Amino acid sequence: PAQAIDVLAEVVRLRESSLGPNSPQVLTALVTQSQAETAAGRQADAQRSVDRALAIAQANPALPPALRVNVLRAKSDALLAAGRWQEATDWLAQGEDIATALAESDLRRLALSGSRARWLMASGDRPAGVQLLDQTIAQLRIQLPDDHPLLQPLLQALAGAR
């Protein structure tokens, strides 16, 4: 994971220098970097990366809904990983409002559902969280193999809930 984070940091740097600091391509790299940092347990770094991505999203009002959903999910995931589930509530709600513009089978919308399921479990509603997680994983498995990075944290959360 550390090597991947270093590579992603370099991707961010290269995109910033060639495309500008507020480029949507920088945002996507920062979201991916945040997810890698979250997976590596580097919560403070993940928060910094996702907050930079959020600033880019705010600087780009015409950003497509799919990218906005992605950055809002990354923010809520970073907060959930840090044990700050109460703070993730508003970010999830914002993402869910925007996600209504996406197809129900859109991977970003499904990933957001997985984040909501993990939030439900963290907030004490384990049965509803497990049910939503089961549904979300089933829908994602139609499109992705089990070893896909989008599915892995959801499968781990489900295994931990059972």
Side-chain angles (χ1 to χ4, degrees):
Q3 285 180 320
I5 293 168
D6 291 342
V7 169
L8 289 165
E10 182 64 11
V11 169
V12 169
R13 189 191 68 71
L14 290 170
R15 287 184 180 181
E16 283 177 329
S17 65
S18 63
L19 303 170
N22 287 328
S23 166
Q25 289 83 0
V26 174
L27 177 145
T28 59
L30 284 165
V31 165
T32 303
Q33 182 177 341
S34 169
Q35 292 166 330
E37 290 164 341
T38 296
R42 294 171 49 178
Q43 305 314 327
D45 293 336
Q47 286 297 325
R48 278 191 293 279
S49 295
V50 78
D51 286 344
R52 285 180 62 205
L54 281 167
I56 293 169
Q58 290 170 345
N60 287 283
L63 198 67
L67 291 180
R68 287 194 186 284
V69 166
N70 227 19
V71 72
L72 292 167
R73 178 186 54 83
K75 177 67 174 179
S76 65
D77 285 351
L79 290 168
L80 285 169
R84 297 162 50 192
W85 62 268
Q86 299 94 333
E87 294 175 56
T89 305
D90 290 339
W91 299 106
L92 279 170
Q94 286 179 50
E96 288 164 342
D97 286 346
I98 296 167
T100 60
L102 305 175
E104 287 186 20
S105 61
D106 185 276
L107 293 177
R108 288 152 298 239
R109 186 172 181 170
L110 291 170
L112 188 65
S113 292
S115 296
R116 173 58 75 183
R118 290 181 20 237
W119 179 90
L120 285 165
M121 290 189 294
S123 68
D125 194 349
R126 190 170 171 267
V130 169
Q131 181 181 6
L132 181 56
L133 203 51
D134 272 334
Q135 293 168 351
T136 302
I137 289 170
Q139 292 175 11
L140 283 168
R141 279 181 162 158
I142 293 169
Q143 301 178 61
L144 303 172
D146 280 357
D147 63 349
H148 191 278
L150 201 55
L151 255 170
Q152 281 301 304
L154 303 180
L155 292 169
Q156 291 169 358
L158 186 60
R162 293 202 164 146

